[in-house]
Amino acid sequence: MNTCRVAQVATANGTFEVVERELPRPGPRHVRIAVEACGICHSDAFFVGAGMPGVRFPLVPGHEVAGRIDELGEGAQDSGWQVGDRVTVGWFGGSCGHCTPCRQGDFIVCDSLKIPGYAYDGGFADAMIAPIDALARIPDALTSAHAGPMACAGVTTYNGLRRGSARPGDLVAVLGIGGLGHLGVQYAVAMGFETVAIARGAEKAEFAKQLGAHHYVDSTAGTPVSEALLSLGGARAVLATAGDSEAIAATVDGMTHRGELIVVGASAEPMGISPFQLIMRGRTVRGHPSGTAQDVQETMAFSALHGIRPMVETVPLDEADAAYRKMLDGSARFRMVLTTG
């Protein structure tokens, strides 16, 4: 077969259409991936809506890709990759290798980070090309539909927690139990934290319990979230997965001394946090990016070991537009995943 299908938008915020293109060939140190599944992340809207500088149309998004290598470019085999290897490609779609962060080994904050669906065509397709430094091996225990979201939502929450200051036994709160947060709660429990889930509505308490949370805080119940956290002893860390700046700021006074706010939920709105809130208790606020391909691989290994999986709804590539709209309106539970099989 010399063609492949892609789901593309022709203009900013346009409708997805599935079209045929010539099957791409991988260049040096690149591979072609036969895509089996690709998660739809809320961050895809930044690109579809031309919210990032330099977005080019027609656009093929997708940075939660899982599939198999079906062709190697020159030099790819020298790095140990073979046709048939199961791989993911996530938000980290490769780095330049020569900017200051890269020279310091901090590839995820590369000055020219290659995000799939932005720097090059993403995984809303039957096939895509990716550089070898973007590849993470999928363990046998994970299906492609589960592995794809691990390359963004999974690694973001797992890495955010494991690189934080909290230690097993500490009280850790996860704000939001949606696409990111439902994984964050599972990781927090598996890491040995006393885990608090924070969300809107009493009806979500049972779901939080099913995820393993030890406590649930309903942010609409009337008691300020900060007071609810202090009544539990104060949070050593808050993993803020909800993209709501007001809700994120409302957790700060619920953190203990030297508490850490880890922000992974994206929002363009400023957070209403005063220097006084941070200084007097020695608190810190940290923005956390996703993770490298190695981080993704370690996320999947940890997930396989502890039985952690994203909750997904799979739909065929032909229904990309409907699936994307369902993600946008918040009715997805919790990751829409496009499949090509």
Side-chain angles (χ1 to χ4, degrees):
M1 183 176 69
N2 296 318
T3 62
C4 67
R5 296 176 304 151
V6 303
Q8 66 179 32
V9 287
T11 59
N13 292 316
T15 300
F16 279 91
E17 58 176 348
V18 177
V19 301
E20 284 200 0
R21 290 186 180 180
E22 184 178 350
L23 189 66
R25 299 292 304 276
R29 297 184 65 78
H30 283 66
V31 302
R32 186 174 66 218
I33 300 169
V35 178
E36 296 174 349
C38 185
I40 302 177
C41 177
H42 202 278
S43 297
D44 288 321
F46 293 146
F47 312 122
V48 173
M52 299 284 279
V55 173
R56 297 181 299 274
F57 294 93
L59 177 82
V60 181
H63 59 266
E64 293 188 343
V65 187
R68 296 179 185 271
I69 295 174
D70 74 350
E71 185 173 350
L72 301 169
E74 182 183 354
Q77 193 167 9
D78 297 340
S79 296
W81 297 106
Q82 297 180 8
V83 170
D85 285 347
R86 300 181 67 220
V87 294
T88 62
V89 179
W91 179 264
F92 178 83
S95 57
C96 73
H98 56 75
C99 68
T100 297
C102 284
R103 285 169 62 86
Q104 293 173 339
D106 201 357
F107 302 105
I108 189 59
V109 288
C110 169
D111 290 344
S112 302
L113 185 67
K114 301 172 186 175
I115 305 168
Y118 180 36
Y120 53 85
D121 287 342
F124 286 21
D126 287 329
M128 67 173 285
I129 304 295
I132 58 174
D133 62 327
L135 305 178
R137 294 185 186 275
I138 302 174
D140 291 341
L142 294 183
T143 66
S144 292
H146 286 145
M150 291 292 183
C152 180
V155 69
T156 297
T157 50
Y158 174 70
N159 240 12
L161 288 169
R162 72 166 175 167
R163 298 191 185 283
S165 58
R167 296 295 176 261
D170 286 345
L171 189 78
V172 170
V174 178
L175 173 66
I177 51 175
L180 289 171
H182 86 286
L183 285 166
V185 170
Q186 294 179 75
Y187 288 131
V189 172
M191 290 177 184
F193 302 135
E194 183 180 352
T195 303
V196 186
I198 306 170
R200 296 175 59 85
E203 70 279 0
K204 295 180 182 176
E206 181 58 31
F207 177 57
K209 182 179 179 181
Q210 292 172 8
L211 293 173
H214 304 98
H215 312 279
Y216 177 71
V217 172
D218 174 8
S219 62
T220 67
T223 301
V225 169
S226 59
E227 291 184 18
L229 290 176
L230 290 177
S231 72
L232 296 171
R236 176 63 173 156
V238 174
L239 180 70
T241 72
D244 183 328
S245 295
E246 183 177 351
I248 294 172
T251 67
V252 172
D253 285 335
M255 296 194 300
T256 187
H257 64 284
R258 303 291 179 187
E260 180 182 31
L261 175 60
I262 306 163
V263 182
V264 299
S267 171
E269 297 299 318
M271 294 186 296
I273 299 172
S274 73
F276 184 83
Q277 288 175 283
L278 303 178
I279 293 170
M280 295 304 293
R281 299 292 281 167
R283 297 172 176 135
T284 59
V285 179
R286 175 168 62 90
H288 175 72
S290 179
T292 66
Q294 181 62 33
D295 293 323
V296 173
Q297 199 159 303
E298 292 169 5
T299 298
M300 291 190 292
F302 185 89
S303 302
L305 181 64
H306 291 276
I308 296 171
R309 302 289 188 275
M311 296 181 180
V312 302
E313 181 179 342
T314 58
V315 295
L317 180 66
D318 289 336
E319 298 177 21
D321 191 71
Y324 178 78
R325 305 300 161 191
K326 190 169 183 178
M327 177 280 294
L328 276 185
D329 68 23
S331 61
R333 290 293 180 268
F334 284 98
R335 244 347 183 232
M336 302 302 298
V337 176
L338 301 176
T339 59
T340 60

